[in-house]
Amino acid sequence: MKNNFIKIVKRLKASGFLKSTLTLSSGVVVSQAISFVGLPIISRIYSAADMGDFTIITSNASVIISIAVLGMMTVIMLPENDDESKSLARLLTLSTVILSALIVGILYVISPYWKIFNTTDKPYGNALIILYMFVLGSSINSICYAYVNRQKLYKVMFWNPILGTGISVGCSIFFGVMGLGFVGYVMSYILSYIVNIIHLVIHANPYKGIINNSFLKPSMLLKKYKRFIIFQMPANLLSNVGIQIPIQIIEETFSSSVLGMYSMTNRIMSIPISLLANSVNRVYFQEASQRYNRGEDIAELGFKILETYIKIAIIPVSVLIIAGQPIFVLFLGEKWREAGAFASVLGIYYLVQFCVSCLSGSFVIIGKNSWNLICSLVKMVIGIVLLLLTRMVPTISIYLFLFIMAGLSTLEQVVEEGIYFIYMGLSIKKYLKFVTFYIVVPFFSAFIVQWLIYNIQ
């Protein structure tokens, strides 16, 4: 046993990928621990309607960001030299500032005729200003983080989420006690983005240094990476709109409070993604890009990552499917019981989302951005189907709506990931076996256990 332990330790030390992932994951673990400590307080300070308004702001922000960054956020990792990466970072920052201001301005002008959302207690114009600030903070933070990731400054990336979460949790509690409602909750995130950006720029500043090279001018960069504008930007836009449609449906068909319940469910069920999948993906994207450029196989790398990390996510997701309601009530308070019931319905969707998040950007790595566009179009179609469903069946329950949404979205994600692996030469039998053993069986097992608990007296 001692010899086996020594071998495992040596293997961990020899694996650059694993060490990098563990470094990032450790920072996320600490940040999630801070979030866990603060969440029971936050859930008792803010109402479900506040959470619903916050979700409306952030979901609309994601749609604007998909346009403002031109679909080129991942491009910062791709150039061979840092000068080009810096030029891309500056280009994306400039485009974000200008395009997001233009979009928000247009939304304000047309507000007498159409509004993208309705917050419960704040004027529409003020909400748009908050939306613009959130877009800038989120986008610039992502740009700076991508550049730090390119530099492989994993210790900086370890501390960054800790600082951000500490600021957002602390400010959320303070603003909530002050009675600022959803505005205070959004502002706490904006302040955390500002702190994160300062921390990242101190260690690796993508805006520092004058680059005098005609090939690095914005026009040349746009020409060189036009495939991202042609394929990735519309893909991101369609995908985010597809995600946005169900959120709008929940708010309009049910209420902001129900949307707040859904938002809290999403926050809790996404913990495995925040805790591990995003860290894995940051290292995977860099490692897979380098291997693919060297002509090496990356399909097996991606598949081994799925097999390794889904084993970790299965347990907490299954527990939440089985005992979502009592866990949510114990942790968040009685008013969030319905959010626990939502968790039971959405469990399989979040488990698959975890897998997809680990390998996010795979089509970009192999230069097949058109597949992202196709998959995003399917997401958009799913959103339209859900919209038509609520119009045709206005009395549909929130639980049936979420079940149908989860089923359609899960099927799309499984097929999307399967297309990538099959395209890269992985056996379809091997992939289907993985889906059956690690996704279908755990979900139905957890669902049956839950049914037995609540129906057998």
Side-chain angles (χ1 to χ4, degrees):
M1 183 178 294
K2 181 179 179 180
N3 291 335
N4 290 334
F5 178 76
I6 292 174
K7 288 180 179 178
I8 293 173
V9 172
K10 288 181 178 179
R11 190 177 302 168
L12 290 174
K13 290 182 177 180
S15 174
F17 180 91
L18 191 54
K19 286 191 293 185
S20 300
T21 301
L22 289 175
T23 299
L24 297 186
S25 298
S26 299
V28 176
V29 167
V30 176
S31 69
Q32 288 295 319
I34 296 172
S35 180
F36 255 89
V37 172
L39 193 56
I41 303 174
I42 292 171
S43 66
R44 288 165 172 82
I45 295 175
Y46 293 94
S47 67
D50 289 333
M51 292 297 183
D53 288 341
F54 172 76
T55 302
I56 284 292
I57 291 289
T58 55
S59 61
N60 279 284
S62 66
V63 176
I64 295 175
I65 291 171
S66 64
I67 299 173
V69 299
L70 307 175
M72 296 171 63
M73 188 65 75
T74 56
V75 174
I76 295 173
M77 299 287 295
L78 300 181
E80 294 181 2
N81 62 79
D82 287 343
D83 281 350
E84 184 172 337
S85 182
K86 285 184 176 181
S87 297
L88 286 166
R90 298 172 188 182
L91 170 63
L92 297 187
T93 301
L94 182 62
S95 69
T96 298
V97 172
I98 296 175
L99 292 179
S100 57
L102 180 62
I103 294 170
V104 171
I106 293 173
L107 291 175
Y108 181 75
V109 170
I110 66 174
S111 60
Y113 313 101
W114 179 74
K115 297 179 180 179
I116 58 172
F117 54 70
N118 291 290
T119 53
T120 56
D121 61 350
K122 295 298 175 184
Y124 185 68
N126 293 351
L128 286 179
I129 293 174
I130 295 171
L131 172 63
Y132 180 65
M133 294 170 63
F134 188 91
V135 168
L136 289 185
S138 178
S139 300
I140 296 174
N141 177 61
S142 297
I143 291 168
C144 294
Y145 196 96
Y147 185 73
V148 168
N149 189 15
R150 174 185 171 82
Q151 302 303 316
K152 299 183 179 181
L153 300 176
Y154 296 122
K155 289 185 178 179
V156 177
M157 297 166 71
F158 167 85
W159 285 107
N160 198 249
I162 297 174
L163 290 172
T165 303
I167 294 296
S168 65
V169 170
C171 290
S172 294
I173 294 173
F174 176 75
F175 292 150
V177 172
M178 295 294 292
L180 297 182
F182 97 93
V183 173
Y185 196 61
V186 178
M187 289 304 299
S188 68
Y189 275 82
I190 294 173
L191 289 174
S192 72
Y193 287 142
I194 293 173
V195 172
N196 278 347
I197 291 168
I198 294 172
H199 175 246
L200 293 168
V201 168
I202 287 173
H203 292 88
N205 190 348
Y207 308 108
K208 184 178 180 180
I210 300 174
I211 304 169
N212 295 316
N213 189 324
S214 60
F215 292 101
L216 299 181
K217 290 182 178 180
S219 58
M220 297 301 295
L221 292 173
L222 290 173
K223 182 178 180 180
K224 180 177 181 179
Y225 294 100
K226 64 180 180 180
R227 74 178 188 274
F228 287 86
I229 302 174
I230 296 173
F231 295 110
Q232 195 61 45
M233 183 174 72
N236 292 345
L237 178 60
L238 290 173
S239 178
N240 282 301
V241 170
I243 295 171
Q244 172 71 9
I245 290 175
I247 291 174
Q248 294 284 358
I249 291 173
I250 293 173
E251 185 204 27
E252 294 177 6
T253 305
F254 302 101
S255 69
S256 293
S257 295
V258 173
L259 178 59
M261 293 290 176
Y262 171 78
S263 176
M264 184 61 76
T265 303
N266 181 66
R267 181 168 181 173
I268 298 297
M269 297 297 286
S270 296
I271 287 175
I273 297 175
S274 302
L275 199 62
L276 189 58
N278 290 338
S279 298
V280 172
N281 178 248
R282 289 178 185 121
V283 181
Y284 161 76
F285 190 87
Q286 184 183 73
E287 179 73 17
S289 297
Q290 293 174 353
R291 292 192 184 190
Y292 186 77
N293 291 335
R294 294 195 299 263
E296 299 176 12
D297 174 64
I298 62 172
E300 284 296 330
L301 170 67
F303 191 76
K304 287 179 180 178
I305 289 173
L306 287 187
E307 283 190 313
T308 300
Y309 291 102
I310 196 173
K311 294 175 184 176
I312 301 173
I314 283 177
I315 296 175
V317 170
S318 298
V319 170
L320 287 170
I321 292 175
I322 295 171
Q325 291 190 51
I327 291 175
F328 273 62
V329 170
L330 177 65
F331 187 60
L332 302 175
E334 179 63 36
K335 68 180 180 180
W336 296 101
R337 178 178 292 275
E338 190 174 20
F342 290 176
S344 299
V345 178
L346 297 169
I348 187 172
Y349 167 74
Y350 286 105
L351 185 59
V352 174
Q353 184 64 38
F354 173 83
C355 297
V356 174
S357 297
C358 284
L359 304 185
S360 178
S362 294
F363 286 125
V364 174
I365 294 172
I366 62 176
K368 299 297 180 182
N369 302 68
S370 57
W371 275 111
N372 283 331
L373 179 58
I374 294 171
C375 294
S376 296
L377 183 60
V378 174
K379 291 183 176 71
M380 180 72 174
V381 171
I382 291 174
I384 294 173
V385 169
L386 293 172
L387 179 62
L388 293 175
L389 176 65
T390 56
R391 296 297 181 267
M392 295 172 62
V393 189
T395 57
I396 189 172
S397 70
I398 180 62
Y399 295 100
L400 180 57
F401 173 81
L402 292 178
F403 183 81
I404 295 172
M405 181 189 76
L408 293 175
S409 299
T410 299
L411 179 61
E412 184 277 326
Q413 290 178 336
V414 168
V415 173
E416 176 182 339
E417 210 64 30
I419 290 173
Y420 165 73
F421 279 119
I422 294 170
Y423 188 87
M424 294 301 294
L426 190 76
S427 167
I428 186 172
K429 182 179 180 181
K430 187 174 183 179
Y431 178 71
L432 290 177
K433 183 179 179 181
F434 166 83
V435 171
T436 302
F437 187 75
Y438 289 106
I439 297 175
V440 177
V441 172
F443 169 73
F444 280 105
S445 298
F447 188 80
I448 290 172
V449 171
Q450 185 206 42
W451 185 88
L452 291 173
I453 292 174
Y454 287 100
N455 288 276
I456 297 179
Q457 304 299 326

